């Protein structure tokens, strides 16, 4: 059995910001260099690759994602999506799934109920929120599934909220399949 490993190191220039993703005026003045690598998982699972990123606030994030997509570090987030042409200082992906990170002591973290209400407002249909607890990156988190109010089997969007290493994490899944998002969640590692 052959195992192929691909290592593609690259450097990204990023700016850290608050969780208000749409308001570019809140981007902080400080910038940081981030080193990220992508490697193939193995020939057994050739449809998935592992992404590893060293975060400037003192930990390493790694996760698996579908090989046909692209992963990047953008502002204070890890993003997975289809690769797109970067415009100005915008993302290089469609941000189908993103994990936003905010240092709790900086005071930028909003209450989870506020974040859930924001998600409900962005949906174009009537949705109901189903909440449960999940284990993610070896800690407990709150999962909010936004389901069609007429048919609760249809999940429109999922978010997972948790705290680790004095950092608040918000995972937003806009368009990965349920199976791909589950694989991403199960593979997520955050280590000091």
């Amino acid at each position: 059995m052959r195992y192929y490993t691909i290592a593609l190191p690259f450097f990204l220039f990023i700016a850290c910001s608050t969780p208000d993703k749409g308001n570019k005026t809140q981007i902080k003045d400080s910038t940081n260099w981030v080193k990220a690598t992508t490697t193939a998982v193995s020939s057994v699972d050739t449809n998935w690759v592992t992404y590893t990123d060293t975060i400037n606030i003192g930990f390493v994030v790694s996760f698996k994602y579908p090989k046909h997509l692209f992963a990047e570090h953008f502002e204070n987030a890890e993003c997975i999506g289809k690769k797109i042409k970067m415009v100005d200082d915008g993302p290089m992906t469609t941000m189908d799934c993103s994990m936003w990170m905010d240092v709790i002591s900086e005071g930028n973290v909003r209450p989870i109920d506020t974040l859930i209400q924001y998600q409900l407002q962005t949906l174009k249909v009537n949705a109901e929120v189903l909440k449960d607890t999940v284990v993610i990156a070896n800690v407990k988190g709150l999962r909010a599934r936004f389901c069609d109010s007429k048919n609760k089997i249809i999940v429109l969007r999922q978010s997972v909220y948790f705290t680790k290493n004095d950092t608040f994490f918000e995972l937003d899944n806009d368009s990965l399949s349920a199976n791909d998002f589950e694989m991403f969640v199960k593979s997520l590692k955050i280590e000091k």
Side-chain angles (χ1 to χ4, degrees), residues 16-186:
C16 294
S17 73
T18 65
D20 188 2
K21 304 165 203 163
N23 188 348
K24 297 288 185 189
T25 61
Q26 293 185 2
I27 295 176
K28 295 181 182 175
D29 293 331
S30 62
T31 55
N32 301 288
W33 285 97
V34 174
K35 181 178 180 183
T37 60
T38 303
T39 57
V41 178
S42 73
S43 63
V44 176
D45 194 1
T46 57
N47 294 324
W48 288 80
V49 291
T50 299
Y51 178 85
T52 304
D53 190 2
T54 302
I55 308 299
N56 65 316
I57 50 180
F59 53 87
V60 176
V61 172
S62 66
F63 54 84
K64 294 179 184 179
Y65 67 96
K67 186 169 141 178
H68 67 278
L69 297 176
F70 180 75
E72 71 169 329
H73 185 117
F74 175 71
E75 291 185 0
N76 61 328
E78 301 291 351
C79 305
I80 302 170
K82 295 169 195 71
K83 194 165 186 162
I84 59 173
K85 182 180 178 190
M86 188 169 83
V87 178
D88 296 324
D89 61 351
M92 294 186 299
T93 72
T94 53
M95 295 175 72
D96 298 344
C97 180
S98 53
M99 179 174 70
W100 295 89
M101 302 167 276
D102 289 295
V103 178
I104 294 169
S105 63
E106 291 180 1
N108 297 324
V109 178
R110 295 189 178 116
I112 291 173
D113 286 336
T114 301
L115 296 170
I116 289 172
Q117 286 305 311
Y118 171 76
Q119 294 281 6
L120 281 170
Q121 291 170 6
T122 61
L123 291 171
K124 305 282 191 251
V125 297
N126 230 357
E128 186 173 320
V129 180
L130 303 176
K131 298 178 187 176
D132 62 349
T133 302
V134 295
V135 175
I136 182 166
N138 294 323
V139 297
K140 284 187 179 180
L142 173 73
R143 176 175 54 184
R145 288 179 287 159
F146 301 87
C147 301
D148 186 307
S149 61
K150 294 178 183 171
N151 185 353
K152 291 181 182 76
I153 295 173
I154 300 172
V155 178
L156 306 167
R157 179 181 288 166
Q158 284 189 70
S159 293
V160 179
Y161 310 96
F162 65 99
T163 301
K164 186 169 184 170
N165 299 333
D166 298 320
T167 303
F168 178 77
F169 294 86
E170 175 187 352
L171 271 70
D172 295 320
N173 180 30
D174 293 324
S175 56
L176 286 183
S177 72
N179 289 338
D180 287 352
F181 185 66
E182 189 71 24
M183 176 74 147
F184 165 74
V185 168
K186 286 181 179 179

